[in-house]
Amino acid sequence: MFKEVTFAYEVLSDPENRRLYDTTGSEAVGPENEDLELDLSSLGAVNTIFAALFNKLGVQIKTTVSANLLGEALNGTVTTLPLMVGQVVSRKVEKQSAHFYSVTLTEEEAQDGLICKVHSSAKNKFKLLYFDQVENGGLSLALQEDSRKTGKLSTAGLYFFGFPVYRFDHRVNSRALSRDPETGFFKRLDAFQPFEITELKAGSHVFAVYGDNFFKSVSYTLEIFSSAPFGNEKESLRSTEAQIVSKRTELLKFEAEYHEVFAQFTEMASKCTGEVQEIDELLKRRNEICAAYTIFPPTKQGSSKSRSWSKKKSSLLMEPREEGEVAVREEGGVKKKKWYNIQLRQDKKKN
């Protein structure tokens, strides 16, 4: 129900979506709204409260980085804190705000690969951002990774290894998949997509941590370090992700086979149901035929009134007349019989 309310809000809050909904129905705006992201900084207090309530109740609400913040970054008016490779920083950032960090890589460090990870022990929501530097000295958003709760932490990471590294966004088409678990199974790995940037060149690079909580600030720890000591882990990651990509391809083939076999199964199940009903009808007809083989005449049951009258005629009714006299009514007539009713009285006197 809350997911439907969220969908309604997304339609009504956008004039173009509202027009499409009024003219063509929900199917026209559904696919686009699946990927709609909300800028919490522009919602206002009341809408932010409703969004936070829906999110608390399990509705997946995708958020985007504040448009004002992106504009400031593009204009080059944000403050950047320089860091060294291997340095760790713990800070607190306000909601819908960001801390910017710059790191300079040598040729050797760029070849070794770089890892940028952020975690929050308070399980706060945040976004880890990477910016490209444009000609006017501004910053353009190039990569974005939303935090995910893993155990007692919320974490996010960007990996630059020189080969494709994948992200898995479990929220992609979450509403559509929840409506159809069967489709959800086959489309589950569609959200497994590679990062757009696989390696960094020597020079200066800018990262940022964006506070994505609804109301409170975000406490986080940022670490930027070389991937050189993690050679085995890198190869293991490459191998595992290659298997996942292969499995995604296998699912596409399996889906076609599944639907074909399922159609045959549905047809056979329907035929089986019809055969069971037909067999039951034949057995019922056979029992009725067998029950008809008898030489006894059918028994007819009279009404309750007739049965009551028959009992009265066949039984003897004794009707009291006078004291000591009774009449015995028989079927052929009435015959009087006298007898004396001797009443025995107990003496109440004490012996």
Side-chain angles (χ1 to χ4, degrees):
M1 182 179 298
F2 281 103
K3 291 178 181 179
E4 296 298 334
V5 171
T6 304
F7 173 76
Y9 172 80
E10 293 171 356
V11 173
L12 297 176
S13 61
D14 188 294
E16 180 63 21
N17 284 337
R18 182 187 299 183
R19 184 188 64 80
L20 290 174
Y21 185 87
D22 291 339
T23 55
T24 59
S26 61
E27 294 299 326
V29 297
E32 293 182 2
N33 276 355
E34 295 290 347
D35 298 328
L36 179 65
E37 295 184 345
L38 300 179
D39 183 355
L40 296 181
S41 64
S42 63
L43 284 184
V46 176
N47 290 333
T48 301
I49 291 174
F50 277 105
L53 174 62
F54 292 164
N55 184 76
K56 191 70 174 179
L57 293 171
V59 179
Q60 296 292 341
I61 298 179
K62 299 179 69 175
T63 58
T64 185
V65 180
S66 169
N68 293 333
L69 179 69
L70 293 178
E72 294 174 0
L74 193 59
N75 294 329
T77 58
V78 296
T79 302
T80 303
L81 178 67
L83 294 180
M84 301 291 293
V85 174
Q87 189 172 351
V88 178
V89 177
S90 295
R91 298 179 67 186
K92 179 180 292 186
V93 61
E94 296 299 322
K95 60 183 179 66
Q96 286 80 61
S97 298
H99 289 163
F100 289 79
Y101 301 93
S102 64
V103 59
T104 301
L105 300 181
T106 63
E107 288 288 348
E108 182 179 358
E109 290 172 334
Q111 292 179 359
D112 291 338
L114 190 73
I115 300 173
C116 180
K117 293 191 67 176
V118 180
H119 71 265
S120 171
S121 57
K123 297 183 179 179
N124 294 146
K125 292 180 61 178
F126 60 87
K127 299 179 186 295
L128 176 57
L129 312 176
Y130 173 77
F131 290 85
D132 282 333
Q133 300 184 35
V134 294
E135 295 181 356
N136 65 347
L139 302 172
S140 174
L141 181 62
L143 291 178
Q144 172 182 313
E145 182 70 5
D146 289 1
S147 62
R148 291 193 61 185
K149 292 181 180 179
T150 55
K152 298 181 179 180
L153 304 173
S154 57
T155 63
L158 295 175
Y159 307 90
F160 306 94
F161 294 157
F163 58 83
V165 176
Y166 289 75
R167 63 154 63 96
F168 181 70
D169 188 354
H170 65 286
R171 302 171 305 174
V172 172
N173 295 329
S174 60
R175 182 164 61 244
L177 300 183
S178 65
R179 292 174 180 172
D180 188 356
E182 181 179 301
T183 301
F185 169 72
F186 292 108
K187 302 299 183 184
R188 182 181 180 185
L189 293 181
D190 286 0
F192 190 71
Q193 298 294 333
F195 283 103
E196 294 82 355
I197 300 176
T198 60
E199 62 181 351
L200 300 179
K201 303 297 183 180
S204 179
H205 300 275
V206 178
F207 297 88
V209 180
Y210 178 81
D212 205 25
N213 280 340
F214 287 98
F215 302 109
K216 60 182 181 180
S217 58
V218 175
S219 299
Y220 69 90
T221 299
L222 167 73
E223 50 183 342
I224 300 178
F225 52 96
S226 172
S227 64
F230 303 94
N232 293 334
E233 289 79 3
K234 288 168 60 176
E235 291 304 318
S236 179
L237 177 65
R238 188 207 293 252
S239 174
T240 301
E241 291 190 336
Q243 294 179 46
I244 296 175
V245 173
S246 176
K247 184 62 66 176
R248 183 178 59 187
T249 304
E250 292 177 9
L251 277 180
L252 294 176
K253 181 181 178 181
F254 177 54
E255 181 180 10
E257 296 175 352
Y258 171 83
H259 288 303
E260 180 180 354
V261 174
F262 185 76
Q264 296 177 357
F265 168 78
T266 303
E267 181 182 356
M268 292 296 103
S270 178
K271 182 178 180 180
C272 180
T273 302
E275 292 292 334
V276 170
Q277 293 177 349
E278 185 175 352
I279 291 173
D280 290 342
E281 289 295 330
L282 291 173
L283 291 176
K284 180 180 178 181
R285 189 186 309 172
R286 175 187 176 278
N287 292 337
E288 292 174 351
I289 295 174
C290 291
Y293 293 121
T294 179
I295 60 175
F296 289 100
T299 303
K300 295 183 178 180
Q301 296 182 353
S303 64
S304 60
K305 185 175 181 181
S306 300
R307 291 196 300 270
S308 176
W309 175 246
S310 298
K311 290 181 179 179
K312 288 182 180 180
K313 293 178 66 178
S314 61
S315 64
L316 297 178
L317 300 179
M318 300 184 66
E319 300 178 355
R321 297 288 178 157
E322 299 177 358
E323 184 177 358
E325 182 182 56
V326 296
V328 180
R329 188 185 301 273
E330 295 180 353
E331 188 174 355
V334 178
K335 181 178 180 181
K336 293 184 178 180
K337 178 182 292 186
K338 292 184 177 181
W339 59 286
Y340 293 95
N341 183 17
I342 302 175
Q343 297 181 358
L344 300 178
R345 297 180 178 178
Q346 294 182 356
D347 190 359
K348 297 182 179 180
K349 294 181 179 181
K350 294 182 180 179
N351 296 331

